[in-house]
Amino acid sequence: MKVRTRFAPSPTGYLHIGGARTALFSWLYAKKNQGDFILRVEDTDRERSSDESVQAILDGMKWLGLDYDEGPFFQTERYDLYRQVIEKLLETGHAYHCYCSKERLDEMRELATAEKRKPRYDGTCRHRTEPVDGVRPVVRFRTPETGTVVIDDLVKGPIEIDNAELDDLVICRSDGNPTYNLTVVADDIDMGITHVVRGDDHINNTPRQIHIFQALQAPLPAFAHLPMILGDDGKRMSKRHGAVSVTQYSEDGILPDAMLNYLARLGWSHGDQELFSVAELKEYFALEDCQRSGSVFDKTKLLWVNQQHLSKLSSDELGALLAAELHARQINTEGGPDVSRLALLLRDRAQTIKEMAQQSKIYYIDDFDFDDKAATKHLRPVAFDVMQALSEKLKACEQWDAAALKEVLDSVAEELGVGFGKIGQPLRVALTGGSASPDIAETLAMIGQARSVHRVDRAVQFIEQRRANADR
């Protein structure tokens, strides 16, 4: 039988980290087994569902590269199927109409709570044969009263639930709208789903769904319930932990392949390997290798993974990403260094494209201020002779590359009898405004001769003004 998996989000918000990981694991299992991956939007909660949320889910899937073989299907367009399934369950005696009022059900629940029992429907209408005038009934599934349900979970292992713990769930409301557990089973049967991969918050639903599968005499899919993703306090990840839409990570400069790599390692492992290409994930992934306990989301680790993926990109790939980010920031790169060359220079110093773009800005603009702390420490009167000599040497330099510029810097240090640090740090502040940059000769080469000389002369003027102020 061909493997068929599905991702079935509810469009009541953005595609969050937990949902994205579920989608990824379902997608990987289908790809690993040459199967089909289906996207199904469970939008029957009309009050909370929105077109914006649907689009956010589609955008998140597209950014991650999780292409689907079929879909997206929308449950609100499949009501005819659900009505047919409900009628079949009624006809075969696996479901019945319940006329109990909301007030009676509330009393039943309050009594159970007072007696410290698990609230459950008492089956009053199980054997009712006559309708109640003026009452629009719900439809309840007739849950077996004895026996157990065993879930052969591919992640958690065997899970056994006593049927006595379950009551007769509502599968159709009085307004005719089907409920979650009914629609899920109807869709999974109709779509031929062979493997249901989802979060372990659905485990309580699974025995109920198995009963419906069995009542409809349909083959059971295999179930794999993934443990929750946790915040740093060990509790389920939520907005208070900084949980955001996966597309926000795109806006933050995270690469989609890095996000896939990180999500895959949240609850799955392949030996001690930490870094994976998408091709490797498809090759190695197995549900049986997923861990049973929750995984903690670690933004620091995600940034490390992203930096590792950045370092593997070619200069053209990296340059294209950096150019797009610089363009988005309205930074004109004409007349500045080649973006791909600059990207290679900064690659090991940035964890995201955003960070790289911020570091790149200084190579294309001349209107910037010196960092106060860096200027106070390094652009002092004692550095005047160094900067003046550098200005003269750099203006006269006929070969503008890192090797030649390194010789120029060494010659200035030798002629003035100072250590290289007395040259490098004032020059670094002059060129970039701050005290951190790549190799100073590489930085000079990348900025270019005209811009470099202009910036050194500007630093000389700054030192002169500082000296003049001190003499007053």
Side-chain angles (χ1 to χ4, degrees):
M1 182 180 296
K2 187 175 187 180
V3 167
R4 288 172 63 82
T5 67
R6 47 75 162 179
F7 176 52
S10 297
T12 56
Y14 50 71
L15 178 61
H16 54 76
I17 289 296
R21 187 192 62 171
T22 297
L24 171 61
F25 283 16
S26 295
W27 183 80
L28 285 174
Y29 192 77
K31 298 301 178 184
K32 169 72 177 292
N33 294 282
Q34 294 78 50
D36 294 327
F37 174 64
I38 295 149
L39 177 60
R40 184 173 78 219
V41 180
E42 299 188 339
D43 58 343
T44 54
D45 186 345
R46 297 186 179 187
E47 291 184 2
R48 298 176 60 215
S49 297
S50 68
D51 293 340
E52 292 77 14
S53 293
V54 171
Q55 192 58 53
I57 291 168
L58 297 178
D59 289 345
M61 298 281 285
K62 182 177 180 180
W63 176 65
L64 290 170
L66 301 180
D67 55 316
Y68 32 93
D69 301 287
E70 298 175 20
F73 297 103
F74 294 87
Q75 286 191 327
T76 49
E77 299 173 359
R78 298 169 61 79
Y79 272 61
D80 286 345
L81 169 67
Y82 308 143
R83 281 191 285 268
Q84 292 171 17
V85 172
I86 292 167
E87 285 301 318
K88 183 176 181 179
L89 291 171
L90 286 167
E91 290 170 3
T92 58
H94 289 99
Y96 60 92
H97 290 108
C98 175
Y99 296 86
C100 293
S101 66
K102 180 180 182 299
E103 290 74 19
R104 184 181 183 282
L105 295 174
D106 287 343
E107 290 174 4
M108 192 185 310
R109 190 176 298 108
E110 290 171 5
L111 179 60
T113 301
E115 295 177 352
K116 297 182 179 180
R117 293 184 287 107
K118 182 178 180 180
R120 51 177 292 153
Y121 180 62
D122 63 4
T124 296
C125 292
R126 259 184 166 240
H127 306 292
R128 182 186 293 275
T129 57
E130 296 297 325
V132 176
D133 291 339
V135 177
R136 298 178 63 182
V138 301
V139 178
R140 289 185 182 273
F141 181 79
R142 195 184 302 273
T143 301
E145 296 180 278
T146 59
T148 61
V149 179
V150 176
I151 307 169
D152 293 319
D153 196 279
L154 296 177
V155 173
K156 301 279 187 180
I159 303 172
E160 187 170 353
I161 300 96
D162 195 322
N163 287 332
E165 295 294 315
L166 308 173
D167 63 355
D168 292 352
L169 76 154
V170 174
I171 58 174
C172 185
R173 300 181 182 91
S174 59
D175 60 4
N177 280 314
T179 59
Y180 168 77
N181 283 301
L182 184 284
T183 59
V184 166
V185 174
D187 282 336
D188 285 345
I189 294 172
D190 186 60
M191 295 176 183
I193 301 302
T194 62
H195 293 76
V196 173
V197 182
R198 57 191 179 190
D200 61 8
D201 54 332
H202 283 284
I203 285 181
N204 288 337
N205 291 319
T206 303
R208 302 177 181 277
Q209 292 171 13
I210 288 176
H211 281 145
I212 298 175
F213 273 105
Q214 292 171 338
L216 294 168
Q217 298 182 330
L220 285 179
F223 291 95
H225 291 96
L226 307 173
M228 291 293 98
I229 296 176
L230 310 175
D232 53 14
D233 58 359
K235 297 181 180 179
R236 182 175 178 176
M237 191 175 180
S238 64
K239 289 182 180 179
R240 73 175 182 276
H241 299 107
V244 295
S245 165
V246 293
T247 54
Q248 179 62 51
Y249 292 100
S250 170
E251 295 171 12
D252 291 344
I254 299 296
L255 300 174
D257 284 6
M259 179 57 79
L260 290 176
N261 184 162
Y262 183 71
L263 287 176
R265 288 289 290 113
L266 280 177
W268 170 81
S269 62
H270 179 71
D272 296 327
Q273 187 170 340
E274 289 285 351
L275 300 173
F276 296 86
S277 66
V278 176
E280 288 175 319
L281 291 176
K282 291 179 183 178
E283 179 182 355
Y284 299 141
F285 182 77
L287 288 169
E288 293 79 3
D289 292 332
C290 295
Q291 65 188 42
R292 298 184 181 186
S293 56
S295 301
V296 176
F297 184 87
D298 184 348
K299 182 68 178 294
T300 301
K301 181 67 173 292
L302 170 61
L303 290 172
W304 177 82
V305 171
N306 194 67
Q307 199 283 324
Q308 298 302 306
H309 279 263
L310 279 177
S311 70
K312 296 178 185 299
L313 294 178
S314 68
S315 61
D316 288 344
E317 291 171 325
L318 200 56
L321 290 171
L322 179 57
E325 183 60 34
L326 291 172
H327 177 74
R329 295 176 182 227
Q330 299 183 324
I331 296 174
N332 184 4
T333 58
E334 292 184 12
D338 177 77
V339 177
S340 294
R341 284 185 57 223
L342 179 59
L344 287 180
L345 178 65
L346 299 177
R347 179 165 62 184
D348 294 334
R349 303 178 64 85
Q351 291 184 303
T352 69
I353 289 295
K354 291 279 186 182
E355 188 178 346
M356 185 180 292
Q358 184 61 33
Q359 295 176 13
S360 299
K361 184 178 179 181
I362 200 69
Y363 292 84
Y364 298 102
I365 63 170
D366 290 313
D367 184 18
F368 63 89
D369 296 325
F370 297 128
D371 175 78
D372 288 342
K373 185 176 180 180
T376 299
K377 183 175 182 180
H378 299 295
L379 298 184
R380 298 180 296 161
V382 70
F384 179 83
D385 291 342
V386 167
M387 298 305 291
Q388 187 69 29
L390 279 171
S391 175
E392 295 172 1
K393 291 276 189 180
L394 293 175
K395 289 173 184 175
C397 189
E398 296 182 356
Q399 184 175 342
W400 198 265
D401 59 48
L405 291 166
K406 178 65 166 61
E407 292 181 4
V408 170
L409 300 181
D410 287 340
S411 68
V412 171
E414 185 177 349
E415 290 172 12
L416 297 181
V418 297
F420 194 83
K422 299 292 185 182
I423 293 176
Q425 282 306 93
L427 179 57
R428 185 168 276 111
V429 177
L431 295 174
T432 70
S435 56
S437 78
D439 175 83
I440 193 63
E442 293 279 6
T443 301
L444 276 167
M446 197 65 67
I447 290 174
Q449 188 168 13
R451 270 198 166 109
S452 295
V453 169
H454 170 74
R455 294 179 185 189
V456 170
D457 286 347
R458 179 169 169 254
V460 169
Q461 294 171 8
F462 179 90
I463 296 172
E464 281 185 313
Q465 184 63 49
R466 184 176 177 182
R467 185 164 59 183
N469 292 339
D471 291 340
R472 290 176 185 173

